[in-house]
Short mmCIF file of all heavy atoms in Angstrom, two decimals:
data_model
loop_
_atom_site.label_atom_id
_atom_site.label_comp_id
_atom_site.label_asym_id
_atom_site.label_seq_id
_atom_site.Cartn_x
_atom_site.Cartn_y
_atom_site.Cartn_z
N LEU A 22 7.61 16.38 13.09
CA LEU A 22 8.34 17.60 12.79
C LEU A 22 7.41 18.45 11.93
O LEU A 22 6.95 18.01 10.88
CB LEU A 22 9.64 17.28 12.04
CG LEU A 22 10.57 18.46 11.73
CD1 LEU A 22 10.94 19.23 12.99
CD2 LEU A 22 11.83 17.95 11.04
N PHE A 159 -6.32 21.33 1.33
CA PHE A 159 -7.54 20.97 2.05
C PHE A 159 -7.62 21.59 3.44
O PHE A 159 -8.72 21.74 4.00
CB PHE A 159 -7.65 19.45 2.21
CG PHE A 159 -7.96 18.70 0.95
CD1 PHE A 159 -7.86 17.31 0.93
CD2 PHE A 159 -8.34 19.34 -0.21
CE1 PHE A 159 -8.14 16.58 -0.22
CE2 PHE A 159 -8.62 18.64 -1.37
CZ PHE A 159 -8.51 17.25 -1.38
N GLN A 162 -10.18 24.23 4.48
CA GLN A 162 -11.56 24.09 4.00
C GLN A 162 -12.48 23.67 5.15
O GLN A 162 -12.06 23.02 6.10
CB GLN A 162 -11.62 23.07 2.87
CG GLN A 162 -10.92 23.51 1.60
CD GLN A 162 -11.06 22.50 0.47
OE1 GLN A 162 -11.97 21.66 0.48
NE2 GLN A 162 -10.17 22.59 -0.52
N TYR A 171 -13.20 1.71 12.70
CA TYR A 171 -12.92 0.54 11.87
C TYR A 171 -12.97 -0.69 12.76
O TYR A 171 -12.82 -0.60 13.99
CB TYR A 171 -11.56 0.65 11.17
CG TYR A 171 -10.36 0.65 12.10
CD1 TYR A 171 -9.67 -0.53 12.38
CD2 TYR A 171 -9.92 1.82 12.70
CE1 TYR A 171 -8.57 -0.53 13.22
CE2 TYR A 171 -8.82 1.82 13.55
CZ TYR A 171 -8.16 0.64 13.80
OH TYR A 171 -7.08 0.64 14.65
N PRO A 181 -7.11 -27.04 12.30
CA PRO A 181 -8.06 -28.15 12.08
C PRO A 181 -7.35 -29.50 12.16
O PRO A 181 -6.13 -29.59 12.08
CB PRO A 181 -8.55 -27.89 10.66
CG PRO A 181 -7.40 -27.20 9.98
CD PRO A 181 -6.75 -26.37 11.06
N THR A 182 -8.13 -30.55 12.30
CA THR A 182 -7.56 -31.89 12.20
C THR A 182 -7.01 -32.07 10.80
O THR A 182 -7.69 -31.79 9.81
CB THR A 182 -8.65 -32.94 12.48
OG1 THR A 182 -9.17 -32.72 13.79
CG2 THR A 182 -8.07 -34.35 12.39
N THR A 229 14.04 -18.60 22.59
CA THR A 229 13.35 -17.60 21.78
C THR A 229 14.26 -17.13 20.65
O THR A 229 15.49 -17.30 20.69
CB THR A 229 12.96 -16.35 22.60
OG1 THR A 229 14.14 -15.60 22.92
CG2 THR A 229 12.23 -16.73 23.88
N GLY A 248 20.37 -19.02 18.42
CA GLY A 248 21.04 -18.43 17.26
C GLY A 248 22.41 -17.93 17.62
O GLY A 248 23.06 -18.43 18.54
N TYR A 275 19.58 -16.10 11.16
CA TYR A 275 20.16 -15.64 12.42
C TYR A 275 19.70 -16.52 13.58
O TYR A 275 20.47 -16.86 14.48
CB TYR A 275 19.77 -14.18 12.68
CG TYR A 275 20.19 -13.26 11.57
CD1 TYR A 275 19.26 -12.78 10.64
CD2 TYR A 275 21.52 -12.89 11.41
CE1 TYR A 275 19.65 -11.95 9.60
CE2 TYR A 275 21.92 -12.06 10.37
CZ TYR A 275 20.97 -11.59 9.47
OH TYR A 275 21.37 -10.79 8.43
N TRP A 322 -4.07 -33.71 22.48
CA TRP A 322 -3.81 -34.95 21.75
C TRP A 322 -2.79 -35.82 22.47
O TRP A 322 -2.93 -37.05 22.51
CB TRP A 322 -3.32 -34.62 20.34
CG TRP A 322 -4.42 -34.29 19.38
CD1 TRP A 322 -4.79 -33.06 18.93
CD2 TRP A 322 -5.33 -35.22 18.77
NE1 TRP A 322 -5.86 -33.15 18.07
CE2 TRP A 322 -6.21 -34.48 17.95
CE3 TRP A 322 -5.47 -36.61 18.83
CZ2 TRP A 322 -7.21 -35.08 17.21
CZ3 TRP A 322 -6.48 -37.21 18.08
CH2 TRP A 322 -7.34 -36.45 17.29
N LYS A 347 26.34 -14.94 33.64
CA LYS A 347 26.82 -14.19 32.48
C LYS A 347 28.34 -14.04 32.56
O LYS A 347 28.89 -13.79 33.63
CB LYS A 347 26.20 -12.79 32.47
CG LYS A 347 24.71 -12.76 32.22
CD LYS A 347 24.19 -11.32 32.29
CE LYS A 347 22.68 -11.27 32.16
NZ LYS A 347 22.15 -9.89 32.31
N LEU A 447 19.36 14.24 20.67
CA LEU A 447 19.63 14.26 22.11
C LEU A 447 18.79 15.32 22.81
O LEU A 447 18.21 15.09 23.88
CB LEU A 447 21.12 14.50 22.35
CG LEU A 447 21.61 14.34 23.80
CD1 LEU A 447 21.29 12.94 24.32
CD2 LEU A 447 23.11 14.61 23.88
N ALA A 453 11.65 16.42 26.07
CA ALA A 453 10.55 15.53 26.47
C ALA A 453 10.66 15.06 27.90
O ALA A 453 9.78 14.35 28.40
CB ALA A 453 10.50 14.33 25.53
N LEU A 457 15.77 8.36 30.49
CA LEU A 457 16.47 7.67 29.42
C LEU A 457 17.95 7.58 29.77
O LEU A 457 18.61 8.60 29.97
CB LEU A 457 16.28 8.44 28.11
CG LEU A 457 16.82 7.85 26.81
CD1 LEU A 457 16.20 6.49 26.52
CD2 LEU A 457 16.52 8.81 25.65
N VAL A 461 26.86 5.00 25.58
CA VAL A 461 27.62 5.10 24.33
C VAL A 461 28.84 4.19 24.43
O VAL A 461 29.74 4.43 25.25
CB VAL A 461 28.05 6.55 24.05
CG1 VAL A 461 28.79 6.63 22.71
CG2 VAL A 461 26.85 7.50 24.05
N SER A 466 35.73 4.60 16.67
CA SER A 466 35.86 4.07 15.31
C SER A 466 34.51 3.60 14.79
O SER A 466 33.54 3.46 15.55
CB SER A 466 36.83 2.89 15.29
OG SER A 466 36.21 1.71 15.78
N GLU A 470 33.83 -1.80 10.24
CA GLU A 470 34.79 -1.49 9.19
C GLU A 470 36.23 -1.65 9.71
O GLU A 470 37.11 -2.13 8.98
CB GLU A 470 34.57 -0.07 8.67
CG GLU A 470 33.28 0.13 7.88
CD GLU A 470 32.02 0.07 8.73
OE1 GLU A 470 32.09 0.29 9.95
OE2 GLU A 470 30.96 -0.23 8.16
N ALA A 514 29.57 5.94 37.55
CA ALA A 514 28.45 5.70 36.64
C ALA A 514 27.28 5.04 37.36
O ALA A 514 26.12 5.41 37.16
CB ALA A 514 28.91 4.84 35.46
N ASP A 530 29.34 7.69 28.75
CA ASP A 530 30.28 7.52 27.65
C ASP A 530 31.36 6.54 28.08
O ASP A 530 32.21 6.86 28.91
CB ASP A 530 30.89 8.88 27.28
CG ASP A 530 31.87 8.79 26.12
OD1 ASP A 530 31.86 7.77 25.41
OD2 ASP A 530 32.65 9.76 25.94
N LYS A 532 34.59 4.46 27.33
CA LYS A 532 35.75 4.46 26.44
C LYS A 532 36.24 3.01 26.24
O LYS A 532 36.54 2.31 27.22
CB LYS A 532 36.89 5.30 27.03
CG LYS A 532 36.50 6.76 27.29
CD LYS A 532 36.23 7.51 26.01
CE LYS A 532 36.04 9.00 26.29
NZ LYS A 532 35.75 9.76 25.05
#
Side-chain angles (χ1 to χ4, degrees):
L22 184 55
F159 288 170
Q162 292 183 21
Y171 65 95
T182 301
T229 72
Y275 303 104
W322 278 104
K347 293 178 185 176
L447 189 58
L457 185 59
V461 182
S466 77
E470 290 71 23
D530 181 16
K532 302 293 188 181

